[in-house]
Amino acid sequence: MEQTDAIAALSALAHPGRLGAFRLLVKAGAAGLPAGEIARLTDSRANTLSTNLTILTHAGLVSSRREGRSIIYVADYDSMRDLLAFLMEDCCSGEPAICAPAALLTEQAAACGAKTSC
Amino acid sequence: MEQTDAIAALSALAHPGRLGAFRLLVKAGAAGLPAGEIARLTDSRANTLSTNLTILTHAGLVSSRREGRSIIYVADYDSMRDLLAFLMEDCCSGEPAICAPAALLTEQAAACGAKTSC
DNA sequence: TCCCTATTTCCAGAAATCTGGAAATAAGGA
DNA sequence: TCCTTATTTCCAGATTTCTGGAAATAGGGA
């Protein structure tokens, strides 16, 4: 991932409405959510939300498909993973003893232990 | 971690100069780097960099200590880990099959395999 | 065709951020 | 004390982002 792409993704997420919408979509999984439902759940106006979903889309964090009159938005897990990987990329080369991914890995392993593929 | 803190950290990182400085500090490890050295390596003016380091500090991503005439900046690995954990927090509850942390975990394990504590 | 719902696009005023010049502060050395 | 280096603080102009009103587009149903 390029620094430019990382900055686009980080600025897209650095906004209350967009971060809220994105996390909602992360929870929603592959089924996604229609724009109107996101607007209702995040308590935002249709036009403002639409602008924000466009920003998330351009940053590669979500994608969308039309279904009848609704447009369904879905989180893009791959680009989210790329962003996280970019942020921790050089962590190990410095001080392995305080390596963030290692600690994170342990926490996640514990948290996801009961789930099927985590 | 609160949404407010996450947004402060994300906006702090969503800037070329600050992201560059932060990644430099992540690489530098616990020894950190003096402000002047960061300015030289990121090719930025002293006053601009100072402002940017203050923003990273307020976001909790770096801390500093004085050493003679220099001020040494150090990355805060704990808050970085908190931010990453916040972003992937609800990932597993949606669709375990496409859970980002799991994939990340695998990649990191492979990348860090040779290091002592990763 | 007409109507209704869902969503987006256009636009402009308001607010926030970014940058760099200039001056101020801090510390060490002669 | 005076000088030099390291860094920060203050400030204002330039630029960007944010928001919401109004209108436009898209699809389904009577």
Side-chain angles (χ1 to χ4, degrees):
Chain A
M1 171 176 266
E2 296 291 325
Q3 162 135 328
T4 307
D5 303 320
I7 287 174
L10 290 166
S11 357
L13 293 175
H15 177 283
R18 291 195 296 265
L19 183 55
F22 179 71
R23 299 187 88 216
L24 214 49
L25 291 175
V26 166
K27 275 194 201 171
L33 287 172
E37 182 72 359
I38 303 175
R40 194 179 61 75
L41 291 170
T42 61
D43 196 35
S44 51
R45 313 227 164 205
N47 57 353
T48 301
L49 179 73
S50 179
T51 302
N52 286 332
L53 287 173
T54 301
I55 291 170
L56 286 169
T57 301
H58 284 158
L61 291 164
V62 308
S63 58
S64 58
R65 63 174 189 273
R66 180 175 278 279
E67 233 171 64
R69 270 182 285 193
S70 297
I71 297 192
I72 312 291
Y73 282 86
V74 189
D76 186 320
Y77 288 85
D78 283 345
S79 66
M80 183 191 177
R81 194 193 58 214
D82 288 350
L83 175 63
L84 299 179
F86 176 84
L87 288 177
M88 57 175 69
E89 197 167 279
D90 300 312
C91 183
C92 287
S93 65
E95 292 248 356
I98 50 175
C99 176
L104 188 61
L105 185 149
T106 311
E107 278 179 18
Q108 284 295 328
C112 298
K115 304 292 170 66
T116 44
S117 61
C118 288
Chain B
M1 172 176 266
E2 295 291 327
Q3 163 137 325
T4 307
D5 303 320
I7 287 174
L10 289 167
S11 356
L13 293 175
H15 177 283
R18 291 195 296 266
L19 183 55
F22 179 71
R23 301 187 88 215
L24 214 48
L25 291 175
V26 166
K27 275 193 200 172
L33 288 172
E37 182 73 358
I38 302 175
R40 193 179 62 74
L41 291 170
T42 61
D43 196 36
S44 51
R45 313 226 166 205
N47 56 355
T48 301
L49 178 73
S50 180
T51 302
N52 285 332
L53 287 173
T54 300
I55 291 170
L56 285 169
T57 301
H58 284 158
L61 291 165
V62 307
S63 58
S64 58
R65 63 176 189 272
R66 179 174 279 279
E67 231 170 65
R69 268 182 286 195
S70 297
I71 297 194
I72 312 292
Y73 282 87
V74 189
D76 186 320
Y77 289 84
D78 284 346
S79 64
M80 184 190 177
R81 195 195 56 215
D82 288 351
L83 175 63
L84 297 180
F86 177 84
L87 289 177
M88 56 174 71
E89 197 167 277
D90 300 311
C91 184
C92 286
S93 67
E95 292 250 355
I98 51 174
C99 176
L104 188 60
L105 186 149
T106 312
E107 278 180 18
Q108 283 296 328
C112 297
K115 303 291 169 63
T116 44
S117 62
C118 288

